[in-house]
Amino acid sequence: MGEDFILKFEFERQNEWRILKKSILFHLIGVSGFLYYLLTKETVGLFIGFGFLIIIVPQILLHIQYRQADKNKTIKVNHSKRIIRIENKGEIRDIQFSDIEKIVRNKGQRDEDNLTYALPTFFYNYTVLLLRNKEKIYFTDFISKDLGLKGIDKSDKLSLLNFIL
């Protein structure tokens, strides 16, 4: 008898920083606008600073929400037994693959790797496991983009702001 094929996913700082690094240019321009105003007293610096601050604030709120949702979460997918074990703040829950009705990926843009027309909020994506009993299990890209589940109906949903509802 062989060993079980298990994949383990957990909150990783490198995933968190990878997302933040994609939007560093927006942060630098915003700070530069405020610095320009402080040095020259020209109001154009304020417009630039506040303009980019309006773009950055939703990203910060998403980042905080995603961090809180996944910080202490571990997901183990046992492909041999067809079970997902979710450990979250000491609580353990097992879900059978057959209990999953659908997997929905909530994305900010169709092509996640395209940075050409992307706002910082577009880099925040999460996945929902819709169970047959209508319950929803959430995990963000801070854990993983995909759990490697096969044979389950999957779809994508596009949204400008991907707050976990």
Side-chain angles (χ1 to χ4, degrees):
M1 189 162 158
E3 293 192 25
D4 289 342
F5 177 58
I6 299 173
L7 296 175
K8 182 179 178 181
F9 304 93
E10 57 190 349
F11 177 87
E12 293 188 26
R13 278 198 163 303
Q14 69 185 27
N15 289 342
E16 182 179 25
W17 287 111
R18 178 182 46 80
I19 291 170
L20 280 174
K21 280 191 266 183
K22 289 180 180 179
S23 60
I24 194 72
L25 186 61
F26 287 90
H27 295 265
L28 292 174
I29 293 172
V31 169
S32 297
F34 288 121
L35 287 175
Y36 181 77
Y37 173 74
L38 291 174
L39 295 173
T40 65
K41 301 295 184 215
E42 292 184 28
T43 56
V44 71
L46 281 179
F47 287 120
I48 292 170
F50 282 118
F52 279 86
L53 189 64
I54 290 169
I55 294 170
I56 295 168
V57 167
Q59 177 195 17
I60 293 168
L61 295 175
L62 279 168
H63 195 90
I64 291 168
Q65 184 190 38
Y66 281 32
R67 188 173 229 287
Q68 290 301 318
D70 285 346
K71 187 173 183 185
N72 297 308
K73 190 182 291 181
T74 302
I75 301 173
K76 293 180 184 173
V77 181
N78 187 327
H79 287 277
S80 303
K81 294 181 180 176
R82 301 187 54 79
I83 293 174
I84 300 172
R85 172 166 279 184
I86 301 172
E87 298 176 32
N88 191 11
K89 299 174 186 166
E91 193 176 304
I92 298 174
R93 175 154 185 216
D94 289 336
I95 300 167
Q96 300 286 332
F97 284 17
S98 60
D99 292 338
I100 302 171
E101 183 176 326
K102 188 176 190 176
I103 300 171
V104 179
R105 178 98 169 120
N106 294 273
K107 305 185 325 181
Q109 60 184 7
R110 196 168 310 281
D111 180 7
E112 295 178 47
D113 297 322
N114 182 0
L115 303 179
T116 308
Y117 301 107
L119 293 173
T121 57
F122 289 1
F123 307 128
Y124 289 82
N125 308 301
Y126 69 93
T127 303
V128 182
L129 303 177
L130 298 173
L131 305 183
R132 296 200 187 281
N133 67 3
K134 304 302 178 203
E135 189 178 350
K136 298 176 182 179
I137 308 291
Y138 300 92
F139 64 92
T140 72
D141 284 1
F142 289 0
I143 290 182
S144 178
K145 287 184 177 186
D146 187 8
L147 298 178
L149 302 175
K150 305 288 184 212
I152 299 173
D153 186 26
K154 297 179 182 179
S155 68
D156 290 341
K157 181 180 174 187
L158 295 176
S159 173
L160 180 63
L161 294 172
N162 279 317
F163 285 104
I164 300 172
L165 305 174

